[in-house]
Amino acid sequence: VRHVVQSGESLGTIARRYQVTVGELAAANSITDPAKIRAGQSLVIPGFHAVGNNRPATTPAPATTTPASTAA
């Protein structure tokens, strides 16, 4: 997924929007100074895919259940 930076946005606000850390966002885009992003810049959002309303690409582990023991 890509995000085009809008005027007034920071790496922090974009990271929160996509539920990633500023460090992950900076690393995915080779940004060494998080304060130096500009409107119109296209950023790769790590860990997201294009389908599913910007939900994380990873899925939670399935819930585990313990079978009930039966008394004999």
mmCIF file of all heavy atoms in Angstrom, residues 2-42:
data_model
loop_
_atom_site.group_PDB
_atom_site.id
_atom_site.type_symbol
_atom_site.label_atom_id
_atom_site.label_comp_id
_atom_site.label_asym_id
_atom_site.label_seq_id
_atom_site.Cartn_x
_atom_site.Cartn_y
_atom_site.Cartn_z
ATOM 1 N N ARG A 2 0.468 2.248 -0.701
ATOM 2 C CA ARG A 2 1.190 3.524 -0.739
ATOM 3 C C ARG A 2 0.300 4.612 -0.160
ATOM 4 O O ARG A 2 -0.922 4.552 -0.255
ATOM 5 C CB ARG A 2 1.574 3.879 -2.170
ATOM 6 C CG ARG A 2 2.643 2.969 -2.712
ATOM 7 C CD ARG A 2 3.258 3.578 -3.962
ATOM 8 N NE ARG A 2 4.477 2.872 -4.296
ATOM 9 C CZ ARG A 2 5.695 3.207 -3.870
ATOM 10 N NH1 ARG A 2 5.844 4.239 -3.090
ATOM 11 N NH2 ARG A 2 6.744 2.513 -4.218
ATOM 12 N N HIS A 3 0.948 5.593 0.424
ATOM 13 C CA HIS A 3 0.252 6.760 0.968
ATOM 14 C C HIS A 3 0.923 7.997 0.403
ATOM 15 O O HIS A 3 2.147 8.117 0.450
ATOM 16 C CB HIS A 3 0.348 6.773 2.499
ATOM 17 C CG HIS A 3 -0.244 8.010 3.111
ATOM 18 N ND1 HIS A 3 -1.588 8.116 3.383
ATOM 19 C CD2 HIS A 3 0.321 9.193 3.464
ATOM 20 C CE1 HIS A 3 -1.817 9.314 3.899
ATOM 21 N NE2 HIS A 3 -0.680 9.989 3.956
ATOM 22 N N VAL A 4 0.135 8.911 -0.127
ATOM 23 C CA VAL A 4 0.673 10.172 -0.624
ATOM 24 C C VAL A 4 0.535 11.198 0.498
ATOM 25 O O VAL A 4 -0.567 11.448 1.003
ATOM 26 C CB VAL A 4 -0.064 10.649 -1.899
ATOM 27 C CG1 VAL A 4 0.476 12.005 -2.346
ATOM 28 C CG2 VAL A 4 0.094 9.623 -3.008
ATOM 29 N N VAL A 5 1.659 11.747 0.905
ATOM 30 C CA VAL A 5 1.703 12.699 2.013
ATOM 31 C C VAL A 5 0.911 13.952 1.665
ATOM 32 O O VAL A 5 1.088 14.535 0.588
ATOM 33 C CB VAL A 5 3.167 13.069 2.351
ATOM 34 C CG1 VAL A 5 3.215 14.092 3.478
ATOM 35 C CG2 VAL A 5 3.973 11.826 2.702
ATOM 36 N N GLN A 6 0.038 14.341 2.578
ATOM 37 C CA GLN A 6 -0.757 15.557 2.415
ATOM 38 C C GLN A 6 -0.130 16.676 3.255
ATOM 39 O O GLN A 6 0.572 16.407 4.238
ATOM 40 C CB GLN A 6 -2.202 15.312 2.890
ATOM 41 C CG GLN A 6 -2.903 14.188 2.158
ATOM 42 C CD GLN A 6 -3.029 14.444 0.675
ATOM 43 O OE1 GLN A 6 -3.499 15.501 0.262
ATOM 44 N NE2 GLN A 6 -2.608 13.492 -0.131
ATOM 45 N N SER A 7 -0.392 17.900 2.894
ATOM 46 C CA SER A 7 0.114 19.044 3.640
ATOM 47 C C SER A 7 -0.312 18.931 5.108
ATOM 48 O O SER A 7 -1.472 18.621 5.399
ATOM 49 C CB SER A 7 -0.450 20.328 3.031
ATOM 50 O OG SER A 7 0.022 21.443 3.737
ATOM 51 N N GLY A 8 0.630 19.126 6.012
ATOM 52 C CA GLY A 8 0.333 19.073 7.446
ATOM 53 C C GLY A 8 0.536 17.711 8.079
ATOM 54 O O GLY A 8 0.489 17.595 9.294
ATOM 55 N N GLU A 9 0.735 16.675 7.278
ATOM 56 C CA GLU A 9 0.955 15.345 7.843
ATOM 57 C C GLU A 9 2.412 15.179 8.264
ATOM 58 O O GLU A 9 3.315 15.782 7.683
ATOM 59 C CB GLU A 9 0.621 14.253 6.823
ATOM 60 C CG GLU A 9 -0.848 14.076 6.590
ATOM 61 C CD GLU A 9 -1.146 12.899 5.680
ATOM 62 O OE1 GLU A 9 -0.466 12.758 4.639
ATOM 63 O OE2 GLU A 9 -2.059 12.135 6.020
ATOM 64 N N SER A 10 2.609 14.353 9.277
ATOM 65 C CA SER A 10 3.954 14.000 9.716
ATOM 66 C C SER A 10 4.088 12.486 9.621
ATOM 67 O O SER A 10 3.090 11.761 9.466
ATOM 68 C CB SER A 10 4.180 14.445 11.165
ATOM 69 O OG SER A 10 3.380 13.666 12.050
ATOM 70 N N LEU A 11 5.307 12.014 9.735
ATOM 71 C CA LEU A 11 5.522 10.570 9.718
ATOM 72 C C LEU A 11 4.765 9.921 10.878
ATOM 73 O O LEU A 11 4.206 8.837 10.737
ATOM 74 C CB LEU A 11 7.025 10.268 9.807
ATOM 75 C CG LEU A 11 7.540 9.154 8.912
ATOM 76 C CD1 LEU A 11 7.144 9.318 7.475
ATOM 77 C CD2 LEU A 11 9.032 9.014 9.033
ATOM 78 N N GLY A 12 4.711 10.616 12.002
ATOM 79 C CA GLY A 12 3.992 10.093 13.172
ATOM 80 C C GLY A 12 2.502 9.948 12.927
ATOM 81 O O GLY A 12 1.905 8.927 13.284
ATOM 82 N N THR A 13 1.868 10.937 12.306
ATOM 83 C CA THR A 13 0.424 10.846 12.065
ATOM 84 C C THR A 13 0.119 9.767 11.029
ATOM 85 O O THR A 13 -0.870 9.049 11.150
ATOM 86 C CB THR A 13 -0.180 12.194 11.606
ATOM 87 O OG1 THR A 13 0.479 12.635 10.416
ATOM 88 C CG2 THR A 13 -0.059 13.253 12.671
ATOM 89 N N ILE A 14 0.997 9.642 10.044
ATOM 90 C CA ILE A 14 0.799 8.606 9.021
ATOM 91 C C ILE A 14 0.998 7.223 9.638
ATOM 92 O O ILE A 14 0.208 6.304 9.399
ATOM 93 C CB ILE A 14 1.746 8.833 7.829
ATOM 94 C CG1 ILE A 14 1.418 10.173 7.147
ATOM 95 C CG2 ILE A 14 1.656 7.676 6.830
ATOM 96 C CD1 ILE A 14 2.484 10.675 6.193
ATOM 97 N N ALA A 15 2.021 7.071 10.468
ATOM 98 C CA ALA A 15 2.286 5.790 11.131
ATOM 99 C C ALA A 15 1.092 5.371 11.995
ATOM 100 O O ALA A 15 0.649 4.216 11.946
ATOM 101 C CB ALA A 15 3.556 5.885 11.974
ATOM 102 N N ARG A 16 0.554 6.298 12.759
ATOM 103 C CA ARG A 16 -0.612 5.980 13.603
ATOM 104 C C ARG A 16 -1.807 5.565 12.754
ATOM 105 O O ARG A 16 -2.538 4.639 13.091
ATOM 106 C CB ARG A 16 -0.978 7.173 14.483
ATOM 107 C CG ARG A 16 -0.122 7.277 15.718
ATOM 108 C CD ARG A 16 -0.665 8.297 16.711
ATOM 109 N NE ARG A 16 -0.680 9.661 16.185
ATOM 110 C CZ ARG A 16 0.368 10.469 16.150
ATOM 111 N NH1 ARG A 16 1.535 10.062 16.599
ATOM 112 N NH2 ARG A 16 0.264 11.687 15.666
ATOM 113 N N ARG A 17 -2.000 6.249 11.644
ATOM 114 C CA ARG A 17 -3.140 5.946 10.768
ATOM 115 C C ARG A 17 -3.096 4.498 10.282
ATOM 116 O O ARG A 17 -4.119 3.836 10.173
ATOM 117 C CB ARG A 17 -3.127 6.899 9.574
ATOM 118 C CG ARG A 17 -4.225 6.640 8.595
ATOM 119 C CD ARG A 17 -4.196 7.655 7.488
ATOM 120 N NE ARG A 17 -5.286 7.431 6.573
ATOM 121 C CZ ARG A 17 -5.519 8.170 5.530
ATOM 122 N NH1 ARG A 17 -4.760 9.200 5.261
ATOM 123 N NH2 ARG A 17 -6.518 7.900 4.734
ATOM 124 N N TYR A 18 -1.892 4.018 9.964
ATOM 125 C CA TYR A 18 -1.748 2.670 9.427
ATOM 126 C C TYR A 18 -1.284 1.654 10.469
ATOM 127 O O TYR A 18 -0.984 0.516 10.134
ATOM 128 C CB TYR A 18 -0.777 2.689 8.241
ATOM 129 C CG TYR A 18 -1.341 3.428 7.059
ATOM 130 C CD1 TYR A 18 -0.994 4.753 6.819
ATOM 131 C CD2 TYR A 18 -2.237 2.816 6.186
ATOM 132 C CE1 TYR A 18 -1.507 5.448 5.742
ATOM 133 C CE2 TYR A 18 -2.761 3.505 5.107
ATOM 134 C CZ TYR A 18 -2.394 4.812 4.883
ATOM 135 O OH TYR A 18 -2.913 5.490 3.813
ATOM 136 N N GLN A 19 -1.220 2.072 11.728
ATOM 137 C CA GLN A 19 -0.865 1.194 12.838
ATOM 138 C C GLN A 19 0.503 0.544 12.650
ATOM 139 O O GLN A 19 0.665 -0.666 12.834
ATOM 140 C CB GLN A 19 -1.956 0.153 13.077
ATOM 141 C CG GLN A 19 -3.283 0.780 13.416
ATOM 142 C CD GLN A 19 -4.394 -0.232 13.555
ATOM 143 O OE1 GLN A 19 -4.220 -1.408 13.300
ATOM 144 N NE2 GLN A 19 -5.554 0.227 13.964
ATOM 145 N N VAL A 20 1.479 1.359 12.271
ATOM 146 C CA VAL A 20 2.878 0.931 12.189
ATOM 147 C C VAL A 20 3.684 1.931 13.002
ATOM 148 O O VAL A 20 3.184 2.996 13.373
ATOM 149 C CB VAL A 20 3.404 0.876 10.730
ATOM 150 C CG1 VAL A 20 2.637 -0.153 9.913
ATOM 151 C CG2 VAL A 20 3.335 2.239 10.058
ATOM 152 N N THR A 21 4.930 1.607 13.298
ATOM 153 C CA THR A 21 5.766 2.541 14.032
ATOM 154 C C THR A 21 6.421 3.528 13.065
ATOM 155 O O THR A 21 6.540 3.244 11.868
ATOM 156 C CB THR A 21 6.870 1.818 14.823
ATOM 157 O OG1 THR A 21 7.798 1.235 13.903
ATOM 158 C CG2 THR A 21 6.291 0.756 15.750
ATOM 159 N N VAL A 22 6.850 4.652 13.611
ATOM 160 C CA VAL A 22 7.567 5.639 12.797
ATOM 161 C C VAL A 22 8.836 4.994 12.249
ATOM 162 O O VAL A 22 9.191 5.198 11.086
ATOM 163 C CB VAL A 22 7.892 6.903 13.625
ATOM 164 C CG1 VAL A 22 8.831 7.829 12.878
ATOM 165 C CG2 VAL A 22 6.608 7.637 13.991
ATOM 166 N N GLY A 23 9.505 4.189 13.071
ATOM 167 C CA GLY A 23 10.722 3.512 12.631
ATOM 168 C C GLY A 23 10.473 2.570 11.466
ATOM 169 O O GLY A 23 11.268 2.529 10.518
ATOM 170 N N GLU A 24 9.386 1.810 11.529
ATOM 171 C CA GLU A 24 9.051 0.889 10.429
ATOM 172 C C GLU A 24 8.762 1.672 9.149
ATOM 173 O O GLU A 24 9.204 1.298 8.064
ATOM 174 C CB GLU A 24 7.830 0.038 10.795
ATOM 175 C CG GLU A 24 8.099 -0.971 11.875
ATOM 176 C CD GLU A 24 6.820 -1.615 12.415
ATOM 177 O OE1 GLU A 24 5.742 -0.974 12.402
ATOM 178 O OE2 GLU A 24 6.919 -2.765 12.861
ATOM 179 N N LEU A 25 8.018 2.753 9.294
ATOM 180 C CA LEU A 25 7.662 3.578 8.134
ATOM 181 C C LEU A 25 8.903 4.230 7.537
ATOM 182 O O LEU A 25 9.099 4.217 6.323
ATOM 183 C CB LEU A 25 6.640 4.630 8.561
ATOM 184 C CG LEU A 25 5.963 5.447 7.478
ATOM 185 C CD1 LEU A 25 5.285 4.558 6.437
ATOM 186 C CD2 LEU A 25 4.939 6.382 8.103
ATOM 187 N N ALA A 26 9.770 4.755 8.400
ATOM 188 C CA ALA A 26 11.005 5.383 7.926
ATOM 189 C C ALA A 26 11.899 4.358 7.233
ATOM 190 O O ALA A 26 12.439 4.615 6.150
ATOM 191 C CB ALA A 26 11.737 6.039 9.092
ATOM 192 N N ALA A 27 12.051 3.179 7.826
ATOM 193 C CA ALA A 27 12.907 2.135 7.252
ATOM 194 C C ALA A 27 12.387 1.672 5.895
ATOM 195 O O ALA A 27 13.155 1.481 4.952
ATOM 196 C CB ALA A 27 13.025 0.953 8.202
ATOM 197 N N ALA A 28 11.074 1.503 5.772
ATOM 198 C CA ALA A 28 10.478 1.027 4.521
ATOM 199 C C ALA A 28 10.655 2.032 3.384
ATOM 200 O O ALA A 28 10.569 1.672 2.217
ATOM 201 C CB ALA A 28 8.990 0.733 4.722
ATOM 202 N N ASN A 29 10.919 3.292 3.752
ATOM 203 C CA ASN A 29 11.037 4.345 2.743
ATOM 204 C C ASN A 29 12.418 4.985 2.704
ATOM 205 O O ASN A 29 12.601 6.029 2.088
ATOM 206 C CB ASN A 29 9.959 5.407 3.002
ATOM 207 C CG ASN A 29 8.586 4.855 2.726
ATOM 208 O OD1 ASN A 29 8.169 4.761 1.580
ATOM 209 N ND2 ASN A 29 7.879 4.436 3.766
ATOM 210 N N SER A 30 13.381 4.354 3.379
ATOM 211 C CA SER A 30 14.767 4.859 3.439
ATOM 212 C C SER A 30 14.831 6.318 3.884
ATOM 213 O O SER A 30 15.573 7.122 3.329
ATOM 214 C CB SER A 30 15.450 4.686 2.076
ATOM 215 O OG SER A 30 15.458 3.335 1.708
ATOM 216 N N ILE A 31 14.035 6.650 4.885
ATOM 217 C CA ILE A 31 14.008 8.011 5.410
ATOM 218 C C ILE A 31 14.945 8.078 6.613
ATOM 219 O O ILE A 31 14.753 7.353 7.595
ATOM 220 C CB ILE A 31 12.577 8.425 5.821
ATOM 221 C CG1 ILE A 31 11.676 8.444 4.585
ATOM 222 C CG2 ILE A 31 12.567 9.760 6.543
ATOM 223 C CD1 ILE A 31 10.203 8.641 4.886
ATOM 224 N N THR A 32 15.952 8.935 6.531
ATOM 225 C CA THR A 32 16.897 9.069 7.634
ATOM 226 C C THR A 32 16.503 10.185 8.592
ATOM 227 O O THR A 32 16.891 10.163 9.751
ATOM 228 C CB THR A 32 18.328 9.326 7.106
ATOM 229 O OG1 THR A 32 18.298 10.471 6.264
ATOM 230 C CG2 THR A 32 18.835 8.117 6.312
ATOM 231 N N ASP A 33 15.737 11.160 8.125
ATOM 232 C CA ASP A 33 15.269 12.254 8.974
ATOM 233 C C ASP A 33 13.743 12.324 8.873
ATOM 234 O O ASP A 33 13.202 12.888 7.919
ATOM 235 C CB ASP A 33 15.896 13.580 8.541
ATOM 236 C CG ASP A 33 15.527 14.734 9.470
ATOM 237 O OD1 ASP A 33 14.670 14.553 10.368
ATOM 238 O OD2 ASP A 33 16.098 15.816 9.288
ATOM 239 N N PRO A 34 13.035 11.748 9.865
ATOM 240 C CA PRO A 34 11.570 11.711 9.816
ATOM 241 C C PRO A 34 10.915 13.085 9.708
ATOM 242 O O PRO A 34 9.778 13.189 9.284
ATOM 243 C CB PRO A 34 11.180 11.030 11.124
ATOM 244 C CG PRO A 34 12.380 10.235 11.509
ATOM 245 C CD PRO A 34 13.565 11.027 11.021
ATOM 246 N N ALA A 35 11.631 14.143 10.060
ATOM 247 C CA ALA A 35 11.066 15.494 9.965
ATOM 248 C C ALA A 35 11.075 16.016 8.534
ATOM 249 O O ALA A 35 10.448 17.032 8.248
ATOM 250 C CB ALA A 35 11.853 16.445 10.868
ATOM 251 N N LYS A 36 11.762 15.315 7.643
ATOM 252 C CA LYS A 36 11.897 15.819 6.273
ATOM 253 C C LYS A 36 11.086 14.996 5.281
ATOM 254 O O LYS A 36 11.624 14.318 4.423
ATOM 255 C CB LYS A 36 13.370 15.855 5.868
ATOM 256 C CG LYS A 36 14.139 16.885 6.636
ATOM 257 C CD LYS A 36 15.493 17.116 6.057
ATOM 258 C CE LYS A 36 16.190 18.210 6.846
ATOM 259 N NZ LYS A 36 17.454 18.577 6.265
ATOM 260 N N ILE A 37 9.767 15.064 5.430
ATOM 261 C CA ILE A 37 8.888 14.509 4.402
ATOM 262 C C ILE A 37 8.148 15.701 3.819
ATOM 263 O O ILE A 37 8.035 16.751 4.452
ATOM 264 C CB ILE A 37 7.921 13.434 4.942
ATOM 265 C CG1 ILE A 37 6.977 13.999 5.996
ATOM 266 C CG2 ILE A 37 8.691 12.233 5.462
ATOM 267 C CD1 ILE A 37 5.846 13.054 6.349
ATOM 268 N N ARG A 38 7.655 15.548 2.605
ATOM 269 C CA ARG A 38 6.997 16.680 1.957
ATOM 270 C C ARG A 38 5.662 16.263 1.345
ATOM 271 O O ARG A 38 5.463 15.097 0.997
ATOM 272 C CB ARG A 38 7.905 17.279 0.889
ATOM 273 C CG ARG A 38 8.196 16.353 -0.254
ATOM 274 C CD ARG A 38 9.236 16.896 -1.219
ATOM 275 N NE ARG A 38 9.361 16.051 -2.379
ATOM 276 C CZ ARG A 38 9.872 14.833 -2.415
ATOM 277 N NH1 ARG A 38 10.302 14.280 -1.319
ATOM 278 N NH2 ARG A 38 9.941 14.145 -3.543
ATOM 279 N N ALA A 39 4.764 17.210 1.233
ATOM 280 C CA ALA A 39 3.471 16.965 0.606
ATOM 281 C C ALA A 39 3.708 16.464 -0.814
ATOM 282 O O ALA A 39 4.587 16.946 -1.518
ATOM 283 C CB ALA A 39 2.633 18.241 0.597
ATOM 284 N N GLY A 40 2.954 15.442 -1.195
ATOM 285 C CA GLY A 40 3.073 14.856 -2.527
ATOM 286 C C GLY A 40 3.991 13.652 -2.569
ATOM 287 O O GLY A 40 3.971 12.897 -3.534
ATOM 288 N N GLN A 41 4.792 13.473 -1.517
ATOM 289 C CA GLN A 41 5.710 12.331 -1.454
ATOM 290 C C GLN A 41 4.903 11.048 -1.273
ATOM 291 O O GLN A 41 3.953 10.998 -0.511
ATOM 292 C CB GLN A 41 6.669 12.527 -0.277
ATOM 293 C CG GLN A 41 7.725 11.478 -0.130
ATOM 294 C CD GLN A 41 8.708 11.835 1.005
ATOM 295 O OE1 GLN A 41 8.665 12.912 1.585
ATOM 296 N NE2 GLN A 41 9.583 10.911 1.310
ATOM 297 N N SER A 42 5.277 10.013 -1.993
ATOM 298 C CA SER A 42 4.604 8.723 -1.907
ATOM 299 C C SER A 42 5.388 7.813 -0.969
ATOM 300 O O SER A 42 6.587 7.620 -1.143
ATOM 301 C CB SER A 42 4.511 8.091 -3.294
ATOM 302 O OG SER A 42 3.870 6.845 -3.227
#
